[in-house]
Amino acid sequence: NSGHDIGGFAGPAPDAELLARWVAAGIFQPRFSIHSWNDDGTVNEPWMHAEATPAVRALIKLRSQIEPYLYDLLWRHHRDYAPITRPLFAQFPDDPACLADGDEMMLGPDLLVPLVVEPGVTERRVRVPAGCDWRDFWSGARVPGGTEAALPAPWDRPPLLVRDGTALPINPIEARFGRRDRGFGWLLFAPVAGRLEA
């Protein structure tokens, strides 16, 4: 059950872009936490940079939306010791390109998270694993396995790919403070006929 202190636990406070990118990475970890004590006496809070607050708000809503998937992964980890996050080579051992060092990770078996770790980036290029096709979470565009894709990378919509054929459990009710509404639904990423692979 891993995670990190978003924004860093000590040292200088992150700038607006670093905070937004760090939150974008943190929402895909089992443990999601924004807190710290900085050398200048300030603390990291979701609203610490006005220009990043809308992005951080959208990212926290995305985290709430995928909570049923995360819950399922935590249950499978408890029951079967299945890793929640994993390197690409662990999920795709037959694809030698997945052995290359990179900033991508799998969240469970079905979500590929290409992290944005460089400042000023507006697009993230990623080579997707071979063995299955992928879908852009935001647009639904298909990305053939074993190819490279250029994904938009705005602060509020991190690059995210879903394995083709996935039925992703979600909470379709928008998260709001002071409201405990929860729902359950599915996002379906249906494959082309005859192309579903294990």
Side-chain angles (χ1 to χ4, degrees), residues 93-151:
D94 296 331
D95 183 351
C98 288
L99 292 171
D101 193 19
D103 297 316
E104 305 87 18
M105 69 175 185
M106 293 296 299
L107 179 58
D110 298 316
L111 294 183
L112 172 57
V113 182
L115 300 173
V116 177
V117 297
E118 299 293 332
V121 171
T122 59
E123 180 181 88
R124 175 64 158 82
R125 297 192 74 76
V126 61
R127 190 252 181 213
V128 300
C132 61
D133 289 341
W134 297 86
R135 294 288 190 93
D136 183 306
F137 177 84
W138 303 105
S139 70
R142 184 171 278 106
V143 180
T147 65
E148 188 172 283
L151 305 173

Side-chain angles (χ1 to χ4, degrees), residues 52-180:
T53 300
V56 171
R57 182 181 296 116
L59 293 165
I60 291 172
K61 287 180 180 181
L62 176 59
R63 167 73 178 208
S64 177
Q65 185 179 23
I66 65 169
E67 277 180 356
Y69 182 67
L70 289 165
Y71 184 90
D72 181 64
L73 295 176
L74 285 163
W75 179 78
R76 291 173 189 278
H77 174 73
H78 169 76
R79 186 189 70 183
D80 305 326
Y81 305 105
I84 298 166
T85 59
R86 50 194 93 175
L88 271 57
F89 67 80
Q91 191 68 42
F92 298 94
D94 296 331
D95 183 351
C98 288
L99 292 171
D101 193 19
D103 297 316
E104 305 87 18
M105 69 175 185
M106 293 296 299
L107 179 58
D110 298 316
L111 294 183
L112 172 57
V113 182
L115 300 173
V116 177
V117 297
E118 299 293 332
V121 171
T122 59
E123 180 181 88
R124 175 64 158 82
R125 297 192 74 76
V126 61
R127 190 252 181 213
V128 300
C132 61
D133 289 341
W134 297 86
R135 294 288 190 93
D136 183 306
F137 177 84
W138 303 105
S139 70
R142 184 171 278 106
V143 180
T147 65
E148 188 172 283
L151 305 173
W155 290 6
D156 61 339
R157 292 175 66 165
L160 182 60
L161 293 161
V162 185
R163 186 196 296 251
D164 212 19
T166 295
L168 188 69
I170 61 157
N171 173 15
I173 298 175
E174 184 177 290
R176 296 246 185 231
F177 287 109
R179 187 176 80 188
R180 295 189 169 271

